Amino acid sequence: MHYLWLSVLCALVVITRPLDSAATPFAPNWNNMHTKHRWNAIPGKWESIGQPPVGITIDLRIALKPHCEHALTDAIYEVSNPNHPKHVLFFVPPPTQVTLLRCRYGAYLSKEQVAKLVAPHPYTLEVVEAWLRHHGVSPSNVSTTHGGNWLTVTGVPVSKANELLGASYQLYRYAGTNETILRTVGYALPVALHTHVQTVAPTTYFGSPLTPRERPRGHRVSALSTRDDHVTPAVLRSLYNSVTYQPAATEQNMIGVTGFSGQYVSDEDLELFMALFRSDANDPTFLVIDVNDSGYDPSKPGSEANLDMQYTQGMAWPTPHVFYSMGGVAEEFIPDSFIPVNTNEPFLGWLEVMTRLEDLPQTISTSYGGDEQTFPRDYATSVCELFGQLGARGISVLFASGDEGVGGGDCRKNDGTGVVQFQPGFPATCPWVTSVGGTMRRPEVAAPFSSGGFSNVFKRPIYQTDAVLGFFEQLGKQHAGLYNASSRGFPDVSAQARRFTIIHDNEFMFLRGTSCSTPVVAGIISLLNDYQLSKNRPVLGFLNPWLYGTAIQGFNDITSGSNPGCGTDGFSAVPGWDPVTGLGTPDFQRLLDLLPNPIPTN
Ligand SMILES: *[C@@H]1O[C@H](CO)[C@@H](O)[C@H](O)[C@H]1NC(C)=O
Ligand SMILES: *[C@@H]1O[C@H](CO)[C@@H](O)[C@H](O)[C@H]1NC(C)=O
Ligand SMILES: *[C@@H]1O[C@H](CO)[C@@H](O)[C@H](O)[C@H]1NC(C)=O
Ligand SMILES: *[C@@H]1O[C@H](CO)[C@@H](O)[C@H](O)[C@H]1NC(C)=O
């Protein structure tokens, strides 16, 4: 089957070259600098430990604004919303050889098509390169990534980076772990670049991949107790109605699990787990992709990685699995390795690798995140757009919503005002991911730790307008001022998240958290993709337009429980969508009946 790509016309030319540029040599005032982003204080538990040693260099990544501002967003909706009116031609191969018109839903973009959509205007490249030349940066040190909308400038001495960005790079240490990074609390760009550059990294992003609060909490025992309220794959497959489904497209379908911060999967633990809890599953395996030398070592398993792999396998076996092991400290910054300095943000780094790959798993599960306010706005926006690129390519990206209810800690804003506000988590608030909250008990109620609420960065996406307004009607004035009513609400869906039984280091361990629910929902989605593939239909891709549309009927609405935090009772689970359990928990059989079928039959 082939799709004939109808090229997207750029309705709005955002960037125009100055009219007189041909006559007068192009010379903006590079010294007229304006702040791009600045924190009022050093974020959270980081402290400055001074200047980096002389001679240190840094690789700067510059996100350029795309030529057509809305092209990616429009394309995502056209291919992900089963009810979108846009149609494309498609060719039915021999013997029929006819060209038919079908809705564009499911006609996912290739890597190259996405690259074209997000490409910057040639003039944007010209301006940025002129600026780099002005500062004596050699063109041989500049390369493009992410299909052309990021520039990477390698080997920039820190003094030069300070000059380019009006910055003051210093070494910062994280109190909890002693992780050391090179960052600046603020940076600026020449005024002439502000309309062309989205963000520069690494600059003011202080988020740490090592924040311990996102680890699943649990305890170990050496023998399984007789209590029957523990969660196992059998419990989940029965509760979510997927027991009888036999995967039929394992030649094409694949599910991906990400592992950050030195979390590795033990093959032996997986084998024992499957023998105990999926006795029908023999020889469970997974492919490991070691992203930039993570030091992958299955003999030193992490409970998070074991949990994620054991539950996607438990739900979706025999669907092939891939584990992306992302190094947290991927680049050694200091030539003599005296101080372990990390220049990589794992999300950006991971996405950089993912967006470069031709073949990706159709479903990806990630149990990792942090407070949205610890991510600079521009950084979060750029990372979120890269998740959108995966969506446009037909990948379902699932993220844990977090384990802090409406907010952890003292919930104070980090902008210097100290105002108390609910604290949403990122990437869960990115509108291009599907965020998974938590439930507990049978019959199901909301788990009190299930993170949910509203972004302070991302506007409310169109697919959830009715759902969120329906919730506000029930909420009334409660918590007014503590959350942002105009923005993206999360989570989107939920699943069981407590008393999960795993095998870790050859022993039983019980875990809770949205780290548990995310691989479960990812497993269910992967089975639905399997069904679509087995019927020669496109996979589900970016899920949310379908979830909030026809698929609503396929979820068990959770209507009791709440997610306290920030000194409040939090939000309540109510009929319909709510920022505790989203649309509810999946019912596989009902969802099967609601799957879109965009391929015309003749
Ligand atoms: C270019 O990169 C090399 C290798 O990292 C580095 O030694 C050199 O200083 C860089 N030059 C500039 C102008 O950044
Ligand atoms: C961090 O460094 C301090 C001082 O050097 C030391 O006392 C502490 O044990 C270190 N913490 C960790 C987690 O390595
Ligand atoms: C991964 O390594 C390659 C080769 O060393 C490098 O070009 C790339 O920038 C690295 N990416 C990340 C995310 O570290
Ligand atoms: C509320 O969210 C919007 C995005 O939907 C954002 O632009 C705005 O700054 C947020 N307001 C506050 C006070 O954070």
Side-chain angles (χ1 to χ4, degrees):
M1 207 181 301
H2 291 280
Y3 304 118
L4 299 184
W5 169 252
L6 301 184
S7 65
V8 176
L9 294 175
C10 203
L12 188 74
V13 178
V14 200
I15 291 151
T16 48
R17 181 190 260 278
L19 286 174
D20 59 351
S21 66
T24 47
F26 172 66
N29 179 359
W30 298 123
N31 297 325
N32 184 9
M33 305 282 280
H34 253 194
T35 298
K36 185 77 177 139
H37 181 253
R38 170 171 298 280
W39 299 111
N40 290 327
I42 299 169
K45 294 187 178 146
W46 294 91
E47 59 166 353
S48 169
I49 52 170
Q51 305 289 330
V54 177
I56 295 308
T57 65
I58 184 170
D59 293 351
L60 291 177
R61 283 176 282 188
I62 304 171
L64 304 175
K65 293 208 174 138
H67 179 193
C68 305
E69 209 182 343
H70 301 292
L72 179 66
T73 307
D74 291 349
I76 297 171
Y77 279 117
E78 286 167 16
V79 297
S80 313
N81 180 357
N83 298 319
H84 200 282
K86 180 105 171 197
H87 281 66
V88 287
L89 297 170
F90 87 107
F91 175 71
V92 184
T96 346
Q97 296 208 46
V98 289
T99 302
L100 297 173
L101 197 62
R102 53 158 286 194
C103 57
R104 197 179 169 199
Y105 173 79
Y108 298 118
L109 281 65
S110 68
K111 188 179 110 171
E112 289 71 26
Q113 287 167 337
V114 169
K116 264 191 205 146
L117 281 191
V118 300
H121 194 285
Y123 180 63
T124 292
L125 274 173
E126 238 177 81
V127 182
V128 173
E129 278 164 7
W131 168 62
L132 292 171
R133 262 198 317 275
H134 172 80
H135 285 280
V137 175
S138 151
S140 63
N141 283 30
V142 184
S143 58
T144 58
T145 47
H146 299 314
N149 67 333
W150 284 74
L151 283 185
T152 300
V153 192
T154 48
V156 184
V158 167
S159 55
K160 176 71 76 183
N162 284 338
E163 176 190 317
L164 281 164
L165 301 173
S168 171
Y169 277 96
Q170 295 186 19
L171 289 171
Y172 291 89
R173 184 168 60 193
Y174 189 70
T177 57
N178 290 348
E179 184 193 356
T180 310
I181 59 174
L182 190 65
R183 290 294 186 278
T184 171
V185 288
Y187 76 105
L189 285 172
V191 170
L193 290 186
H194 277 247
T195 52
H196 300 282
V197 171
Q198 215 147 287
T199 186
V200 182
T203 49
T204 53
Y205 167 50
F206 281 80
S208 167
L210 305 172
T211 36
R213 69 181 197 87
E214 293 299 328
R215 295 269 166 284
R217 265 163 254 165
H219 61 276
R220 283 169 186 231
V221 294
S222 49
L224 201 53
S225 85
T226 52
R227 293 176 61 156
D228 61 0
D229 63 347
H230 292 134
V231 172
T232 62
V235 169
L236 295 165
R237 291 170 75 227
S238 148
L239 185 65
Y240 299 141
N241 240 333
S242 66
V243 180
T244 56
Y245 185 73
Q246 298 285 336
T250 55
E251 300 286 304
Q252 302 165 70
N253 197 24
M254 195 170 227
I255 179 167
V257 175
T258 60
F260 292 94
S261 332
Q263 286 276 331
Y264 316 127
V265 181
S266 155
D267 311 71
E268 280 158 30
D269 287 342
L270 177 64
E271 222 164 278
L272 180 54
F273 177 84
M274 296 297 271
L276 286 170
F277 301 115
R278 273 300 301 258
S279 51
D280 57 327
N282 44 50
D283 205 15
T285 57
F286 56 95
L287 181 75
V288 176
I289 295 191
D290 191 340
V291 184
N292 282 35
D293 203 10
S294 74
Y296 189 82
D297 182 354
S299 73
K300 296 191 185 117
S303 56
E304 170 78 68
N306 268 345
L307 164 73
D308 298 348
M309 182 58 71
Q310 290 175 14
Y311 276 84
T312 51
Q313 293 268 3
M315 299 304 291
W317 186 88
T319 302
H321 278 63
V322 55
F323 183 78
Y324 294 99
S325 183
M326 179 70 203
V329 187
E331 277 174 16
E332 214 83 75
F333 214 58
I334 309 284
D336 65 2
S337 306
F338 187 53
I339 310 171
V341 176
N342 175 9
T343 63
N344 278 335
E345 301 82 351
F347 275 137
L348 204 51
W350 179 73
L351 283 161
E352 186 174 297
V353 173
M354 294 302 280
T355 51
R356 257 201 318 253
L357 295 176
E358 206 68 59
D359 290 314
L360 294 171
Q362 294 86 347
T363 313
I364 300 176
S365 181
T366 301
S367 299
Y368 169 94
D371 279 354
E372 189 187 61
Q373 67 167 355
T374 65
F375 294 83
R377 210 164 257 262
D378 291 335
Y379 176 88
T381 307
S382 295
V383 166
C384 182
E385 193 195 283
L386 291 170
F387 287 121
Q389 291 191 23
L390 296 184
R393 289 176 63 185
I395 316 298
S396 305
V397 180
L398 293 102
F399 267 88
S401 77
D403 300 342
E404 307 291 337
V406 287
D410 62 9
C411 297
R412 287 186 193 284
K413 285 176 77 171
N414 62 355
D415 62 357
T417 62
V419 169
V420 170
Q421 228 182 21
F422 290 169
Q423 292 300 332
F426 181 80
T429 53
C430 167
W432 306 131
V433 308
T434 299
S435 151
V436 184
T439 63
M440 60 186 192
R441 303 203 195 111
R442 274 87 66 204
E444 293 186 89
V445 301
F449 51 78
S450 181
S451 282
F454 299 88
S455 173
N456 287 312
V457 176
F458 301 101
K459 286 200 305 260
R460 179 165 59 237
I462 190 122
Y463 57 75
Q464 63 171 199
T465 307
D466 290 350
V468 171
L469 295 183
F471 173 74
F472 285 151
E473 253 170 50
Q474 301 175 73
L475 181 69
K477 289 194 165 34
Q478 199 191 7
H479 303 321
L482 287 175
Y483 67 92
N484 191 328
S486 65
S487 54
R488 152 88 160 132
F490 77 109
D492 299 301
V493 296
S494 54
Q496 290 277 313
R498 220 175 57 157
R499 299 192 185 282
F500 269 51
T501 313
I502 72 161
I503 300 292
H504 185 60
D505 266 345
N506 217 27
E507 288 178 339
F508 291 109
M509 189 172 183
F510 300 105
L511 300 175
R512 70 174 176 97
T514 51
S515 288
C516 300
S517 50
T518 307
V520 171
V521 175
I524 295 274
I525 296 298
S526 184
L527 292 180
L528 293 170
N529 278 336
D530 177 278
Y531 182 84
Q532 293 291 70
L533 288 167
S534 75
K535 298 284 180 229
N536 279 320
R537 298 178 188 168
V539 292
L540 292 168
F542 170 54
L543 298 164
N544 299 5
W546 175 64
L547 293 180
Y548 285 86
T550 33
I552 284 191
Q553 303 304 329
F555 285 86
N556 309 308
D557 192 4
I558 308 301
T559 56
S560 73
S562 62
N563 58 354
C566 305
T568 75
D569 298 338
F571 293 113
S572 294
V574 295
W577 179 88
D578 53 69
V580 193
T581 61
L583 299 168
T585 63
D587 184 308
F588 179 76
Q589 289 299 334
R590 292 211 310 266
L591 287 168
L592 264 191
D593 292 339
L594 299 167
L595 285 170
N597 180 10
I599 306 296
T601 46
N602 55 333

